[in-house]
Amino acid sequence: MNDFQQQALSQAQALLAEDPSVPAWLTNVRQQGADRFQAASWPTRRTENWKYTSLAALGKKSFAAANESEGADAFSGLTAEAYRLVFVDGVLDAKASDPLPEAATLFADANAAQAELIKAHLGRLADSEQHLFAAMSEALLAKGVLLHVAADTKLDKPFYIINRITDGATPLVNTRLLVVLERGAEAEVIEHYATASDDTTGFVNAQTEVVIGDNARFKHYRLNLEGEAIHHVGGVFVELNRDANFDGFAIAKGAELMRIDYGLLHCGSGAHVELNGVYLPRNKQLVDYHTNVQHCVPHCTTNEVFRGIIGDRARAVFNGRIHIHKDAQKTLAELSNKNLLTSNKAEVDTKPELEIYADDVRCAHGATVSQINDAALYYLQTRGVAKEQARVMLSFGFINELIQQIANSSVLEYLLPVLADQFGRDTDLLLLDGDDLDSV
C-alpha cells in the first residue's frame, strides 16, 4: 500500500470515529468503501484502463484533510441565474451559497425518504467494486449532494456547483453528486472545478451519478478549469431509461494529473445520448478521458464527439468505447475523436472502440491526429493576418463547432475569456462563425 492510499484510509477512519451523530446508513457506506479501497489493487501500466496514465507519482504525494478555509478568495464564477452551491477546499461555504431548492439536500441532512433514495442508487452506477476511486469516494463520503426532481417537474433554474481550491491548502477533496430524475422530469446541472492559481495544489476525487427516468431530460456541464498543479480524478455515470435524454458537455484545461471517466448505460428503448468534449492541455499537463457507452436495449442512439488541442510537452489520452449488446437492435451510435498537435513534442494516445453483438445496427467510429495545415496558415497570412493570430484562429476553429453548440449562454460567455487566455489572444479572435473558417 502506497503513501496516498494510507492517507486516504487514515482520513476515512477519522471520519468513521469523529461524529457519532452521522446516520447509520452513511456510516455503513463509508465502512464499505474503506474496506473495498483497502482491498483494491493500485493501478499500474499493466492495468488496461490506466495503460497510458501512470499513478506512480500520485502514490508518493502528501495531501491534508479538507478543513474550513480561512476565507475564500473572490471568485464569481458564472453569472447564470442558478441555484449556487459553493465548496471551498472541500468544505461547504454557506455564505457564498444560495439556499438549496426543495429538490436538493446534503446527504447528512437527508430525511428518511431521501435517505432511502440515496441508499437505493448510491454506488449502483459508480461501482466501488470496479472503480478504485469510487471506493475511495464512498470511504470519504461527507458532504454528498442529492438532487431529486419529482415526476413531470422541471427545475426552474440550473443547479450550479462550484468546487474551489485555494492556495496553500493542499487538501484531499472528495465530492459526490447523486441526481435522480423521475418520469418526465427535467434539470440542468453545472459542475465547475477551479483553483486560485496555476500553482494551487491538492487532490480532487469527484464522482457523479445520474438516474434519468422515463421521458426525462438532463443537461450536464462539467467544467474542469483547474490550475496546472492539481490532481483530479472524476467520473460521470448515467443510467437512461425509456425515451430519456442526456445532453452533456465536458471541457478540461489539463493538470498535473486529470482523469475523467464517463459511463453511460442505455436501459430503456428510445433513449438518446449527446456527449461533446474538449480538452486543451499545454506545458507539461495531462488529460485522460475514458468513455464507455453501453447499449443494452433496442432503438437507442448515441452521438459522441471529443476534440483536443495539445501543445508544448503536454499529453492527452482518449479511450472511447461503445458496446452494443446482443439485444440492442436498431441502434444508431457514432463516436468521433479528433486531435490537433500544436507542438512536435505534444503527444496523444487515442483509442476509439466499437464492440458489437447485434446485427441490425448503424455504428461508426473514428479518430484523427493532425497538425496545423501549412496551406491554411499561408492562406490567412496572404490576407493580412499575422502568423500567430492565424495559428490561434485555426486552432480555435478546430473546436469552435463544439463551443458554439453550448446552449447555456452563461457557460459560453464564461468560457470565451478562459479560452482566450488559454490561447493567449484577444477574445475577438474566438468569435468567428464556423462558416468563416470553412473556406480556409
Side-chain angles (χ1 to χ4, degrees), residues 85-329:
L85 191 62
V86 181
F87 293 89
V88 178
D89 298 333
V91 178
L92 178 65
D93 185 342
K95 292 182 179 179
S97 301
D98 295 329
L100 289 174
E102 185 178 350
T105 186
L106 301 181
F107 284 3
D109 299 331
N111 60 33
Q114 291 168 332
E116 288 300 318
L117 188 69
I118 295 169
K119 287 190 290 183
H121 293 291
L122 189 70
R124 190 166 59 81
L125 300 175
D127 187 353
S128 59
E129 291 185 347
Q130 301 294 325
H131 298 277
L132 169 73
F133 290 98
M136 177 184 166
S137 173
E138 291 181 3
L140 297 174
L141 197 57
K143 295 293 184 181
V145 179
L146 168 68
L147 178 65
H148 177 213
V149 184
D152 300 316
T153 302
K154 180 178 180 180
L155 194 65
D156 59 329
K157 295 188 292 187
F159 194 49
Y160 179 30
I161 304 175
I162 299 173
N163 287 280
R164 175 81 163 167
I165 297 181
T166 58
D167 284 332
T170 319
L172 194 158
V173 172
N174 187 68
T175 76
R176 194 68 177 249
L177 173 63
L178 173 62
V179 179
V180 180
L181 303 186
E182 302 288 356
R183 172 185 48 80
E186 293 186 38
E188 180 175 334
V189 171
I190 305 167
E191 294 186 67
H192 187 173
Y193 299 89
T195 53
S197 70
D198 274 345
D199 298 324
T200 304
T201 57
F203 177 86
V204 179
N205 183 8
Q207 305 293 332
T208 298
E209 292 175 285
V210 183
V211 180
I212 309 178
D214 293 350
N215 202 35
R217 304 177 66 85
F218 182 63
K219 187 179 290 291
H220 182 249
Y221 297 92
R222 200 177 204 280
L223 315 179
N224 283 98
L225 305 177
E226 298 109 316
E228 296 189 29
I230 209 72
H231 296 74
H232 184 116
V233 177
V236 179
F237 302 92
V238 183
E239 175 186 278
L240 295 98
N241 291 286
R242 181 179 57 82
D243 295 323
N245 184 285
F246 174 80
D247 187 350
F249 175 81
I251 185 169
K253 286 174 57 178
E256 186 168 338
L257 168 66
M258 183 166 290
R259 164 66 179 262
I260 311 294
D261 284 66
Y262 273 83
L264 302 119
L265 188 62
H266 286 280
C267 296
S269 180
H272 176 68
V273 165
E274 192 79 25
L275 178 59
N276 292 335
V278 172
Y279 47 92
L280 306 164
R282 60 181 181 180
N283 299 327
K284 294 184 179 180
Q285 297 171 348
L286 167 67
V287 175
D288 181 346
Y289 273 105
H290 271 58
T291 69
N292 183 15
V293 182
Q294 296 195 57
H295 284 257
C296 304
V297 294
H299 298 284
C300 292
T301 55
T302 294
N303 184 40
E304 180 181 346
V305 180
F306 273 77
R307 293 189 180 180
I309 301 175
I310 304 97
D312 305 317
R313 295 175 178 268
R315 288 187 59 239
V317 179
F318 179 81
N319 190 167
R321 178 172 180 263
I322 296 180
H323 182 182
I324 314 297
H325 293 254
K326 65 178 182 179
D327 294 327
Q329 305 294 348

Side-chain angles (χ1 to χ4, degrees), residues 78 192 223 225 249 251 253 280 392 396-397 399-406 408-433:
L78 274 64
H192 187 173
L223 315 179
L225 305 177
F249 175 81
I251 185 169
K253 286 174 57 178
L280 306 164
V392 172
F396 188 75
I399 61 172
N400 188 45
E401 177 185 355
L402 301 185
I403 298 299
Q404 294 299 328
Q405 288 181 28
I406 296 174
N408 187 308
S409 59
S410 295
V411 174
L412 179 60
E413 290 170 6
Y414 184 85
L415 286 180
L416 285 175
V418 172
L419 293 170
D421 179 69
Q422 184 81 1
F423 289 110
R425 290 296 181 270
D426 189 88
T427 310
D428 290 343
L429 291 175
L430 310 184
L431 296 177
L432 296 172
D433 186 274

